[in-house]
Amino acid sequence: MAVRNPLQAILPEGSWDCHHHIFERLAAEFPYAPDRHLTPPPATVAKFLEFKQKVGVSNSVLTHGLSYGSDCSSLGAFISRIGKSSTKGIGVIDPDFVSDEELDILKAAGVCGIRVNLYKYKAMDDVELQKVALRAHANRIIGRCPGWSLTITHTHPEFWAELRPLVERELVPAGIPLVTDHFALLKGKSMLPDFCNGDVTAQPGFRDITELLRKGILWVKISAPYRVSEIEPNYADLEPLVRGLVDANPRRIIWGSDWPHTPRMKVRLPGEALKETPYLKVDDVGWLTSLRSWLSEEEWMNMMVYNSRELYGQV
């Protein structure tokens, strides 16, 4: 395979970035939601295209920023500006109010899935409310949006023990692929609780998540290492976690940059949420180089090209 330049040599042709954002805060065109949980600085389409060229990504999945709430008008516009032929979108909806017409507009714009806004349901720390949110979103797209995935990000991997029955009994029969972001928020060694004694497989949630992976039910994004590790810039302590996830099912692991690198998830007070919060500084190429060294050529191609194409490329 031809080397395009020293930075782009890390990724193969056809690679996917399955999780990035765009924040163009044009108040008249795309205002942030007044009840947002975070106020990001501008992260424009032009800047993302620079990043995309730098690392050598061919395709991308633009994830609707929760700062915009459930108004996805910006999502379709950003997909068009990046290039619809190489970009898919993950939207955010209010399942109680979104119309069939609005879902059809999202499909036409290139959207291929939705993410669950747990902040809206006040469900960040409540597994029962998470079940309510998952059911509501799944029921809204069943039949109307075939092939669409459902994405959930949360801060409690231990909740998967209670979420598994819902996933296996309701989402799987409905044919809805379930995706979880950022290593499923499982932690690397540097962030493990003391009782795990440095063993990533001993942490709550690991067994349930890897069992869902083995069954082919759950897709896990290897993304945002700074959310699960303190060992920057190369996050060396994540190797055992990456290996544990990949070994469980190499065909259900995908990669996302999480560009422009928003901070860790948390519930912010209104005053803090409305104050602009800077992005993290991340050595993306260093992280990708580290990640590549832990995987075989086949595993790397699966993660970067084939798995993403299977999940997003055919919708």
Side-chain angles (χ1 to χ4, degrees):
M1 184 178 298
V3 175
R4 290 158 284 173
N5 68 47
L7 292 175
Q8 294 174 334
I10 299 169
L11 298 188
E13 290 285 351
S15 290
W16 288 69
D17 177 351
C18 291
H19 190 107
H20 73 93
H21 306 287
I22 299 293
F23 296 107
E24 295 199 9
R25 192 182 181 188
L26 307 177
E29 187 179 11
F30 305 129
Y32 286 162
D35 59 349
R36 61 190 177 273
H37 75 290
L38 177 73
T39 300
T44 65
V45 168
K47 287 295 184 182
F48 173 70
L49 290 174
E50 290 178 10
F51 167 80
K52 183 179 177 182
Q53 182 178 28
K54 173 185 175 182
V55 298
V57 172
S58 302
N59 307 286
S60 70
V61 180
L62 173 58
T63 301
H64 184 68
L66 296 180
S67 298
Y68 289 110
S70 58
D71 180 356
C72 286
S73 56
S74 64
L75 183 61
F78 295 155
I79 290 172
S80 178
R81 293 177 193 176
I82 296 169
K84 191 174 176 182
S85 63
S86 62
T87 309
K88 298 287 188 176
I90 300 296
V92 174
I93 65 171
D94 185 330
D96 295 327
F97 294 101
V98 66
S99 67
D100 288 349
E101 180 182 9
E102 288 171 318
L103 291 175
D104 292 341
I105 290 171
L106 291 177
K107 282 192 283 187
V111 171
C112 64
I114 56 174
R115 66 189 304 207
V116 179
N117 184 358
L118 294 179
Y119 292 103
K120 173 188 177 298
Y121 287 81
K122 295 181 171 53
M124 290 294 291
D125 303 311
D126 189 323
V127 69
E128 293 303 320
L129 289 179
Q130 289 189 11
K131 293 176 186 177
V132 171
L134 276 169
R135 285 194 178 100
H137 284 75
N139 290 337
R140 190 62 189 89
I141 64 174
I142 289 173
R144 191 75 194 181
C145 305
W148 276 24
S149 60
L150 189 61
T151 298
I152 183 171
T153 311
H154 56 71
T155 57
H156 293 279
E158 69 275 14
F159 284 178
W160 284 99
E162 293 192 54
L163 292 175
R164 272 184 66 182
L166 181 152
V167 173
E168 294 176 327
R169 296 171 189 169
E170 299 181 35
L171 297 188
V172 173
I176 300 175
L178 183 63
V179 185
T180 189
D181 300 323
H182 314 327
F183 298 82
L185 271 295
L186 292 167
K187 304 301 186 289
K189 287 185 177 181
S190 60
M191 291 180 66
L192 284 178
D194 291 340
F195 66 81
C196 292
N197 295 316
D199 180 4
V200 297
T201 69
Q203 63 185 302
F206 182 88
R207 182 181 61 82
D208 295 291
I209 290 165
T210 52
E211 183 59 26
L212 288 170
L213 278 170
R214 289 188 188 96
K215 292 181 177 181
I217 293 172
L218 182 67
W219 299 73
V220 176
K221 287 180 192 170
I222 301 297
S223 55
Y226 36 85
R227 299 176 189 268
V228 297
S229 169
E230 303 285 5
I231 312 298
E232 55 184 1
N234 296 325
Y235 307 102
D237 66 317
L238 292 182
E239 181 176 4
L241 179 56
V242 169
R243 286 292 349 151
L245 296 171
V246 172
D247 288 342
N249 192 338
R251 294 311 310 270
R252 287 294 180 267
I253 307 296
I254 55 180
W255 173 80
S257 66
D258 195 40
W259 188 93
H261 310 307
T262 54
R264 293 172 181 168
M265 295 180 70
K266 69 174 185 176
V267 177
R268 297 175 174 85
L269 295 174
E272 183 184 6
L274 296 178
K275 182 179 179 182
E276 192 169 274
T277 302
Y279 298 120
L280 304 176
K281 295 184 183 299
V282 177
D283 180 357
D284 294 286
V285 174
W287 158 234
L288 278 167
T289 303
S290 186
L291 179 60
R292 173 66 187 92
S293 71
W294 305 333
L295 303 171
S296 70
E297 179 67 20
E298 181 179 8
E299 291 166 342
W300 186 243
M301 290 296 294
N302 282 335
M303 179 187 294
M304 293 297 177
V305 181
Y306 302 132
N307 297 348
S308 310
R309 184 190 299 166
E310 177 184 345
L311 180 59
Y312 298 121
Q314 307 304 316
V315 180

